[in-house]
Amino acid sequence: MSLIDNLQAMLARGQDSALLRYGLGNEYLKAEQPAAAAEHLAEAVRQDPTYSAAWKLYGKALAALSRHAEALDVFDQGIAAAERKGDLQAAKEMRVFRKRSETAITS
């Protein structure tokens, strides 16, 4: 049984949480399944709007789907959340990813 299978089984048992959704999103992104990743990461930030790591991966998943305008909005929200928490490294990383999506739109 893969890690994704194990996490999906936890979700099926009703153990839903932002951390579980983040884990699923991360694993789907690693498996090059950005659509599934985006779905779980969107739920992670809905459940915990302060979860800066989830915002970052959510934006990356959207960018991988070439949904760059949406990624810009997600990165903006993630940067704001990270700065409110004092998570300056996450904010810095999201600015880099945001710039890449911005460049993709204008290219």
Side-chain angles (χ1 to χ4, degrees):
M1 200 172 203
S2 74
L3 182 53
I4 289 174
D5 293 335
N6 286 335
L7 295 171
Q8 286 286 14
M10 291 172 68
L11 186 60
R13 287 193 302 269
Q15 297 175 297
D16 199 2
S17 69
L19 181 60
L20 177 63
R21 295 297 186 132
Y22 173 83
L24 275 164
N26 187 40
E27 291 305 311
Y28 277 119
L29 209 49
K30 287 182 196 173
E32 298 181 10
Q33 296 180 48
E39 176 184 328
H40 290 289
L41 293 162
E43 181 58 22
V45 299
R46 189 195 67 74
Q47 290 183 17
D48 183 357
T50 68
Y51 200 163
S52 49
W55 282 109
K56 180 176 75 173
L57 282 189
Y58 183 24
K60 286 178 72 174
L62 291 171
L65 292 165
S66 296
R67 292 166 51 185
H68 296 289
E70 291 172 77
L72 291 177
D73 182 50
V74 165
F75 287 133
D76 287 342
Q77 291 179 67
I79 290 164
E83 287 176 342
R84 280 192 299 273
K85 277 179 51 175
D87 192 354
L88 303 181
Q89 181 61 35
K92 182 179 175 181
E93 290 172 16
M94 282 186 270
R95 281 191 186 88
V96 170
F97 294 127
R98 188 191 190 289
K99 188 155 236 26
R100 290 179 189 162
S101 280
E102 213 168 44
T103 300
I105 290 172
T106 59
S107 298

